[in-house]
Amino acid sequence: MTRLGSPELSFASLALALGLPLASALPAQDTAPSQPRWIWTRARAGADEVCRFRRVLDLPEPVRRAKLRMTCDNEFEARLDGVSVLKGDQWQRGYATDVTERLHRGKVTLSVRAENQGGPAGLIGRLDIELRSGTRLVVVTDASWEAAPGGVEEAAASWQPAHDLGPADTAPWKDPFVPKVATPAASLHTKSGYSVELIRSAQDDEGSWISMTFGPSGELYLGVERGGILRLRDPRASLEALILPPEVRNPHGLAFAFDALWANVNDKKGGLFRLRDADSDGEFEDVQKLVAWNGSGEHGSHAVVPGPDGNLWVVNGNMTSLPAGVAADSPHRLYAEDVLLERYEDPNGHAVGVRVPGSHVLRIRPDGTRIDLWAAGMRNAFDLAFDGNGDLYTFDSDMEWDVGLPWYRPIRVCRIVWGAEFGWRSGSAKWPVESFDSLPGLIDLGRGSPTGITFWRQGLVRPEDRGALVLADWAFGRILAARTHPAGEPAAPLVSGKPLNVTDVVVGPDGALWFVTGGRGTQSGLYRLAADTRPDARGTDVQATAAGLPSPADQSAGTGLLLGPFGGRRLANDAEAIDLAWVDLGDADRERRQVARVALERAPVELWRARALSESEPARAMAALLALARAGVDADLGSILDRLDQLAYADLPRARRLEWLRVASVAMARRGDATGERRQRLVETLTPPAGGPLPSGDFALDRERATVLVALDADGLVPALLAALAGTPSQVEQIAWAQLLCRTRVGWSEADATRFFEWTLDVRARGEGGNSFGGYLDAMLDTLLERLGSSELVARLQAARAAAVEARAERAAKPGPFVRAWTTEELVDALPAVAAGRSFAGGQRAFATSQCVTCHRFLDKGGAIGPDLTGVSRRLDRRTLLESILEPSKVISDQYQLVTFTLRDGRVRTGRVRAETDEEVEIVVDVEDGSITRLRKADVTDRSPSPVSAMPPGLVFTLTREQILDLLAYLENDGDKDADAFK
């Protein structure tokens, strides 16, 4: 046993020291550490055999802490004095639990019910105990245990010594208690001048870590995915589990502030929890759910951070409901979809039916008496960070399934100002970045999966990075440093690795950057990044230099827009607020202009309606008319359209034209259709040649103009849009025109329909994009065929479409013959061979013949059923990747999880939700051929996530051992034929 500063004794030597009779002590070795052994009732177990084991402990004093570790081939349940404490049914892994509360001074019986399902059988375990005096004891499974056949203790015929099968690594078993290790620090790549250290690797019973925060005494709290909260009183010492109520589970956000630990619990019954330690004894006696919301899954509720204004700030994902009691005068309050044309929902079912506000930011008083909806319109922002000026930032995700489509946008840093809107809408309805009623991203970073962020303003940071915004990207295994003042400079990598599945980052009390890895059940690690303390090339101590430099961000004046245009101060009256806001309505700064418009919308419309309709300066007029469209009434539509007509579209510069079109769109989306003379004037204004040809060469302007014309059912649009589609080589622009064509209700000829149909087949075959690319194209074609009705032409097109689908299926690689029903344990010892001597062509073939390409996107090619595998080695290690292939149901992302519906007549239906209304739910029941069924909600008695993955477990059973290793190398190296593994 390892000595940790206090004596460690076996039970026998402890009994002698305390004068106890040896009969009541547990036999153990005095001279060497006790090691657990595999045991059973006999050498060869029978199929479906059930047996029982027991040990009696006689503890001489109270217990400070104790942990039980155990596993069994095939199933077990452990009890202490008859109370169940631990179960397991996967012998390849070790199970563990804290049993401190179940141990006491005196005799305690540890009993185990074990069951074999066939083949060899064995039980192995150890119980580590620390007594109040500091003495450490260990109990292990060995021949001194008692064993008996039968599953009920009272019915056991007789107790006999257990049969010793051998040490922990006895074949066919592996040692289940080998410590788990996160990605070693030595294998990580760090920016020059920094060093990274792996502080701790999560063990089996410690879960996968998704959030972290430091407490006032330097203790570290770790949030466990689908678990509770762990605490490290000293970040380098042992973990301890906090005893919390069951509802404080899956804390995506943790923060210590205002004399409490705050947890944003991501669950259908989750919300913001406040945990208080009133008597400072290290336990949280006062646990209260301060605010409730329904948020679960990877797009549920996320971070909570304290603000410099004395409030708590929370960010939640787009699948999270708003809490009750949001203040009616919140900064972000007049939200609506503001989408003029019908959207296409995601064909893979993500966020179907989800509407505004989307991912949002809340400001909450620490006593819960006021909740403000501060900003919204993001997709799945995960964390928040304040800079030294009080400006607030977040890191929003893209929809990687939408790559190659016109509504895709990259992951991006967003600055949260008062009432900010960022334009995320579900499916194809995302606002164009040019929409001036939304804000653009501050820094675009391409593809990725944003998680934790923080500002590194001081401490052990190099001078050039001081004040930088630190960004964690889970999908691509990297931590970046970005500048927000001024914005636009490329983000520089601080750390990267394979895997480096980063979930959260914080600056610790020591000034270093601490971060954790984990998520989706993956291996977690706690790391520390710090600037080297050794002198640089000029002989300057970089750590000392960093401590003395001001932050570039702190030198900036900042935006000062988080609390609104008036800095949060109250004005004398509404008229003063209108006058002050009016000044900034035409400001060149987009943030300042939006904040001014939001301020105007808060004042009574009667006080500024006439002024908005008479404003002559174009920029200010557009902002005022947009405010009226949002805050006014339906009767304002005519006045808004009349005023737009007076502000002649053809005479305006490009920026004002885009705003003119957006005002018209929002006004009609919110206030109703343009009719009569107003509709005719709009059509005449926007139809070529008044505004130039379509396309004019200005894609953004042409698209918005065409959107309004399609909504107005203007004549002659089909030939013009087909010409636009044919006139651009850009796939993104072509699909934008196609989307508008499918929403065009009038003017289709047979020749035009055939021409468009042929284009869809062509781009479906040669186009490249994310998981939803093909599904969106299919949905557009469905719209066209429905619009054409029943005719000979439609029958001919449907037949050609079916032939194209069959041809795609024929081209798909066919699986080979069965080779072996592989298990993880059979292949895990071969995993080091993935690193060298592999066949690139073999990996490529294995990806196709094992049908991976049918369901998974990889390097912008492949199917849409499962997760995108691009960059998978940056978030999963080799063993986890292998397990995900062989045991796909072990960890299922909620984005790909099937749902099981139980109906009133007893039938059960399982599938992926594709669409949902108040009356029915549409599910894909066969993910490979896309067949669907519709269920009436009135017939559904229960719905629950299915524990079974849509991915079959035997896809690689047609591959040899070497082919599987080639496949892993192909995925691990992102299909790079020049990687070292293929040399």
Side-chain angles (χ1 to χ4, degrees):
M1 290 169 282
T2 304
R3 298 185 180 275
L4 298 174
S6 60
E8 293 183 337
L9 302 174
S10 70
F11 271 97
S13 57
L14 177 68
L16 291 172
L18 297 177
L20 298 174
L22 278 175
S24 66
L26 291 167
Q29 296 177 343
D30 292 324
T31 58
S34 298
Q35 298 298 329
R37 314 274 294 182
W38 289 95
I39 60 173
W40 201 250
T41 56
R42 51 185 174 152
R44 295 180 66 86
D48 302 320
E49 184 174 275
V50 178
C51 57
R52 201 166 188 89
F53 303 88
R54 71 180 180 185
R55 282 300 297 270
V56 178
L57 290 64
D58 196 347
L59 302 177
E61 58 180 277
V63 172
R64 176 181 294 171
R65 60 175 57 91
K67 179 178 288 187
L68 175 65
R69 297 177 174 88
M70 190 164 284
T71 196
C72 180
D73 183 355
N74 293 92
E75 296 183 20
F76 78 94
E77 180 180 10
R79 295 174 176 265
L80 283 168
D81 284 342
V83 178
S84 178
V85 293
L86 188 63
K87 297 179 181 180
D89 60 4
Q90 297 180 47
W91 61 265
Q92 302 94 331
R93 57 163 289 193
Y95 295 86
T97 187
D98 188 296
V99 293
T100 307
E101 299 297 313
R102 289 293 164 192
L103 295 180
H104 53 78
R105 182 175 181 176
K107 290 188 177 181
V108 180
T109 299
L110 171 59
S111 61
V112 183
R113 181 188 186 277
E115 180 176 350
N116 179 39
Q117 295 173 354
L123 173 75
I124 192 169
R126 63 179 292 156
L127 173 62
D128 292 279
I129 303 170
E130 181 182 347
L131 301 178
R132 180 176 292 176
S133 63
T135 301
R136 298 175 187 267
L137 315 172
V138 63
V139 183
V140 299
T141 52
D142 56 23
S144 65
W145 280 56
E146 292 181 298
V152 180
E153 185 171 341
E154 290 74 16
S158 61
W159 290 101
Q160 299 291 333
H163 184 83
D164 187 335
L165 299 173
D169 58 355
T170 296
W173 303 297
K174 302 291 183 181
D175 187 346
F177 304 125
V178 173
K180 298 296 181 68
V181 180
T183 304
S187 70
L188 301 180
H189 301 284
T190 60
K191 181 180 177 181
S192 178
Y194 287 97
S195 297
V196 65
E197 178 183 7
L198 173 60
I199 302 297
R200 182 183 180 85
S201 298
Q203 299 306 299
D204 274 330
D205 60 323
E206 295 168 0
S208 194
W209 302 335
I210 50 175
S211 57
M212 63 190 302
T213 191
F214 280 94
S217 300
E219 72 275 24
L220 181 63
Y221 297 92
L222 299 171
V224 180
E225 183 180 49
R226 299 182 182 89
I229 301 173
L230 303 176
R231 175 170 55 199
L232 286 142
R233 291 188 185 275
D234 176 346
R236 296 178 183 275
S238 298
L239 281 167
E240 55 180 308
L242 294 181
I243 306 302
L244 300 173
E247 61 267 27
V248 186
R249 292 293 184 270
N250 206 27
H252 273 215
L254 291 174
F256 211 107
F258 315 124
D259 299 319
L261 176 63
W262 301 87
N264 192 359
V265 171
N266 185 29
D267 186 80
K268 289 184 177 180
K269 295 183 180 180
L272 183 62
F273 283 77
R274 181 179 61 199
L275 296 81
R276 285 176 168 168
D277 177 11
D279 55 7
S280 302
D281 66 347
E283 301 296 331
F284 293 105
E285 303 87 4
D286 179 12
V287 178
Q288 178 184 355
K289 184 192 290 188
L290 196 73
V291 185
W293 42 68
N294 179 350
S296 61
E298 295 174 4
H299 289 236
S301 47
H302 297 316
V304 53
V305 301
D309 60 343
N311 289 290
L312 291 161
W313 294 76
V314 167
V315 62
N316 290 331
N318 59 356
M319 308 296 280
T320 310
S321 64
L322 288 177
V326 171
D329 61 343
S330 292
H332 190 82
R333 61 191 183 95
L334 297 179
Y335 53 83
E337 289 294 310
D338 289 333
V339 176
L340 191 55
L341 300 177
E342 184 182 355
R343 82 191 69 217
Y344 285 101
E345 297 282 12
D346 186 282
N348 285 315
H350 177 71
V352 170
V354 175
R355 298 296 184 257
V356 289
S359 180
H360 54 270
V361 174
L362 301 169
R363 186 179 77 165
I364 303 173
R365 286 181 182 167
D367 60 5
T369 57
R370 182 178 173 94
I371 306 169
D372 285 297
L373 176 59
W374 210 261
M378 297 164 291
R379 177 174 174 264
N380 190 33
F382 200 84
D383 201 359
L384 298 169
F386 285 92
D387 69 7
N389 305 303
D391 284 339
L392 181 62
Y393 296 83
T394 192
F395 192 17
D396 194 20
S397 68
D398 65 341
M399 180 40 157
E400 60 276 8
W401 295 356
D402 291 351
V403 170
L405 297 166
W407 46 90
Y408 168 77
R409 56 193 183 193
I411 61 174
R412 56 189 191 160
V413 175
C414 299
R415 183 157 47 215
I416 305 298
V417 299
W418 192 67
E421 163 68 67
F422 294 95
W424 177 87
R425 299 296 185 266
S426 65
S428 67
K430 228 178 290 182
W431 296 359
V433 294
E434 297 86 3
S435 300
F436 80 122
D437 44 344
S438 69
L439 294 177
L442 196 68
I443 305 169
D444 288 348
L445 291 162
R447 296 175 69 178
S449 181
T451 49
I453 64 172
T454 192
F455 277 95
W456 201 353
R457 297 201 296 270
Q458 58 187 5
L460 304 179
V461 55
R462 289 190 60 84
E464 65 271 20
D465 297 318
R466 192 163 189 257
L469 177 60
V470 177
L471 308 164
D473 178 1
W474 184 86
F476 287 96
R478 56 183 180 166
I479 299 177
L480 307 170
R483 283 289 172 207
T484 57
H485 296 285
E489 297 180 12
L494 289 175
V495 189
S496 62
K498 289 185 176 183
L500 194 66
N501 42 326
V502 192
T503 52
D504 205 2
V505 290
V506 299
V507 177
D510 60 349
L513 185 75
W514 293 71
F515 61 93
V516 289
T517 59
R520 292 191 185 173
T522 55
Q523 174 64 48
S524 284
L526 171 65
Y527 297 83
R528 179 181 180 273
L529 179 74
D532 293 336
T533 56
R534 55 183 179 272
D536 62 14
R538 297 183 301 275
T540 306
D541 187 322
V542 295
Q543 179 178 340
T545 304
L549 286 179
S551 163
D554 293 341
Q555 292 179 31
S556 167
T559 67
L561 295 177
L562 180 65
L563 301 180
F566 319 124
R569 73 182 192 279
R570 290 186 175 275
L571 302 180
N573 51 53
D574 290 325
E576 183 182 1
I578 293 169
D579 288 341
L580 289 174
W582 211 271
V583 173
D584 285 343
L585 285 181
D587 198 285
D589 183 275
R590 195 158 157 180
E591 289 178 333
R592 190 166 298 280
R593 192 179 184 201
Q594 186 178 106
V595 166
R597 193 205 73 238
V598 172
L600 179 64
E601 293 169 357
R602 294 167 66 85
V605 178
E606 293 74 19
L607 298 181
W608 53 269
R609 176 183 281 112
R611 189 171 178 180
L613 293 170
S614 61
E615 174 61 55
S616 59
E617 198 283 313
R620 194 172 286 120
M622 296 305 168
L625 290 173
L626 177 63
L628 184 58
R630 288 165 48 87
V633 296
D634 290 353
D636 289 321
L637 176 62
S639 299
I640 293 171
L641 296 180
D642 290 344
R643 184 56 184 153
L644 286 176
D645 189 51
Q646 294 164 9
L647 295 166
Y649 174 86
D651 297 336
L652 295 172
R654 177 184 185 274
R656 301 291 87 82
R657 287 189 183 190
L658 281 168
E659 293 165 6
W660 192 103
L661 292 164
R662 185 59 182 164
V663 171
S665 292
V666 173
M668 289 189 287
R670 291 202 180 210
R671 305 300 167 200
D673 296 331
T675 58
E677 290 186 14
R678 291 190 177 100
R679 174 193 173 278
Q680 188 58 36
R681 287 201 304 268
L682 274 172
V683 171
E684 291 174 355
T685 296
L686 299 178
T687 300
L694 181 67
S696 68
D698 188 325
F699 170 68
L701 195 61
D702 289 340
R703 178 180 56 185
E704 294 311 295
R705 182 171 54 158
T707 298
V708 176
L709 287 170
V710 169
L712 295 171
D713 286 331
D715 293 329
L717 277 177
V718 172
L721 292 172
L722 281 170
L725 185 152
T728 175
S730 166
Q731 172 183 290
V732 167
E733 294 182 11
Q734 287 179 8
I735 294 173
W737 299 127
Q739 183 187 10
L740 289 170
L741 271 163
C742 292
R743 293 304 183 201
T744 303
R745 292 182 290 231
V746 297
W748 284 94
S749 69
E750 286 197 9
D752 289 337
T754 302
R755 183 180 170 193
F756 179 71
F757 174 81
E758 291 172 348
W759 173 85
T760 62
L761 294 188
D762 180 57
V763 76
R764 185 73 167 81
R766 62 176 174 78
E768 294 186 352
N771 283 6
S772 294
F773 179 81
Y776 275 115
L777 289 170
D778 290 342
M780 292 178 195
L781 188 52
D782 287 340
T783 303
L784 172 65
L785 294 174
E786 289 172 10
R787 201 174 301 291
L788 294 175
S790 178
S791 66
E792 182 181 340
L793 170 65
V794 171
R796 189 167 66 250
L797 296 181
Q798 288 283 33
R801 183 185 194 186
V805 171
E806 186 175 346
R808 286 201 299 270
E810 284 295 321
R811 287 195 298 270
K814 301 299 186 291
F818 175 82
V819 173
R820 183 184 179 93
W822 295 103
T823 67
T824 301
E825 293 307 317
E826 287 176 312
L827 294 168
V828 70
D829 287 342
L831 289 180
V834 173
R838 305 316 320 161
S839 166
F840 174 79
Q844 204 171 34
R845 282 194 302 272
F847 186 73
T849 58
S850 64
Q851 305 300 292
C852 298
V853 71
T854 303
C855 299
H856 294 276
R857 209 73 179 172
F858 185 62
L859 304 176
D860 292 333
K861 294 184 184 299
I865 297 171
D868 191 331
L869 296 179
T870 307
V872 67
S873 66
R874 295 171 187 166
R875 51 190 182 268
L876 303 180
D877 60 27
R878 284 178 192 158
R879 177 173 181 137
T880 306
L881 177 57
L882 179 64
E883 285 180 342
S884 70
I885 295 171
L886 295 173
E887 305 170 56
S889 296
K890 188 171 183 179
V891 178
I892 307 173
S893 164
D894 64 273
Q895 292 189 54
Y896 304 94
Q897 192 156 38
L898 304 180
V899 179
T900 297
F901 295 85
T902 304
L903 307 182
R904 291 187 184 279
D905 60 8
R907 291 179 301 155
V908 175
R909 292 288 182 269
T910 298
R912 174 182 290 167
V913 176
R914 183 175 184 267
E916 189 167 357
T917 66
D918 292 337
E919 291 76 33
E920 68 175 19
V921 58
E922 181 181 287
I923 62 172
V924 180
V925 292
D926 190 318
V927 294
E928 291 192 30
D929 67 16
S931 58
I932 63 172
T933 189
R934 292 180 175 85
L935 305 175
R936 292 178 62 247
K937 285 189 172 179
D939 296 335
V940 176
T941 60
D942 182 65
R943 63 188 290 176
S944 59
S946 171
V948 179
S949 171
M951 175 179 167
L955 293 180
V956 295
F957 291 177
T958 62
L959 302 181
T960 66
R961 175 181 177 277
E962 294 304 309
Q963 288 172 328
I964 292 175
L965 298 180
D966 288 342
L967 171 62
L968 293 174
Y970 180 68
L971 293 172
E972 183 175 291
N973 292 283
D974 279 343
D976 179 8
K977 66 178 183 300
D978 295 323
D980 289 343
F982 303 119
K983 293 178 181 178

